[in-house]
Amino acid sequence: MLSETTKAYIAGIFDGEGTCCLALSKTTQLHHAQCYQPNVCISNTSKSLLESIRRDLWLGLVDDGRQEKEQWKRGYKLYFRQHQIVPFLALILPYLRLKKRQAELLIEFCSLKARGTQVTDEAIARRRAIYNELAELNKRGV
């Protein structure tokens, strides 16, 4: 069981270094439908920090990192798999300040997803609205 202090600490790191978005890809295999892929991760140049968060949460996977430019430090990401996104966001939601709305939207989006069932027109419209709002909230320089 995580302490409230640890949850708040992780939320602070996520506010500053986290990503909470939807990726959009068109698939021709499923009736030319649009597919949305939730993406939640924390980026940092300290692999040990990300590994520590992963151990505390018992969630996620830390990648091997990559170095974009020779003069830059290697960057790492703590990724959360699709089934881990809602538990992670729900855990830190009360402590988020900067990315609280993005987390709320992604939690709602995940609740609209139902594998193997027919998606209603209303749910499709809401998914599109969530995608658009997240894109607006995540614009750079704003």
Side-chain angles (χ1 to χ4, degrees), residues 1-7 10 55-58 91 95:
M1 181 82 178
L2 289 177
S3 71
E4 299 306 306
T5 303
T6 301
K7 293 175 193 177
I10 293 170
R55 281 191 305 274
D56 286 344
L57 295 171
W58 288 76
L91 186 75
Y95 308 98

Side-chain angles (χ1 to χ4, degrees), residues 20-40:
C20 192
C21 66
L22 284 171
L24 174 64
S25 65
K26 291 188 178 187
T27 171
T28 56
Q29 295 174 337
L30 298 172
H31 317 296
H32 302 285
Q34 292 179 328
C35 288
Y36 300 95
Q37 180 66 42
N39 180 11
V40 172

Side-chain angles (χ1 to χ4, degrees), residues 63-78:
D63 70 7
D64 287 332
R66 65 184 211 199
Q67 192 170 354
E68 296 286 334
K69 294 185 179 180
E70 189 175 319
Q71 67 271 25
W72 291 2
K73 288 183 178 179
R74 180 175 295 276
Y76 302 92
K77 289 187 182 183
L78 169 58

Side-chain angles (χ1 to χ4, degrees), residues 33-125:
Q34 292 179 328
C35 288
Y36 300 95
Q37 180 66 42
N39 180 11
V40 172
C41 66
I42 301 172
S43 302
N44 202 280
T45 57
S46 172
K47 187 174 186 178
S48 63
L49 170 69
L50 299 177
E51 288 287 0
S52 172
I53 293 170
R54 186 192 60 75
R55 281 191 305 274
D56 286 344
L57 295 171
W58 288 76
L59 295 172
L61 177 69
V62 177
D63 70 7
D64 287 332
R66 65 184 211 199
Q67 192 170 354
E68 296 286 334
K69 294 185 179 180
E70 189 175 319
Q71 67 271 25
W72 291 2
K73 288 183 178 179
R74 180 175 295 276
Y76 302 92
K77 289 187 182 183
L78 169 58
Y79 290 98
F80 296 93
R81 294 189 172 112
Q82 195 160 344
H83 68 280
Q84 298 172 329
I85 289 173
V86 171
F88 169 67
L89 293 177
L91 186 75
I92 64 169
L93 187 65
Y95 308 98
L96 290 174
R97 294 185 179 188
L98 301 176
K99 292 189 170 81
K100 188 175 198 108
R101 182 64 183 149
Q102 287 96 321
E104 291 169 341
L105 287 167
L106 211 51
I107 289 169
E108 179 187 353
F109 175 85
C110 290
S111 75
L112 295 172
K113 292 188 74 169
R115 288 187 162 223
T117 62
Q118 186 68 27
V119 180
T120 65
D121 289 341
E122 185 178 289
I124 291 170

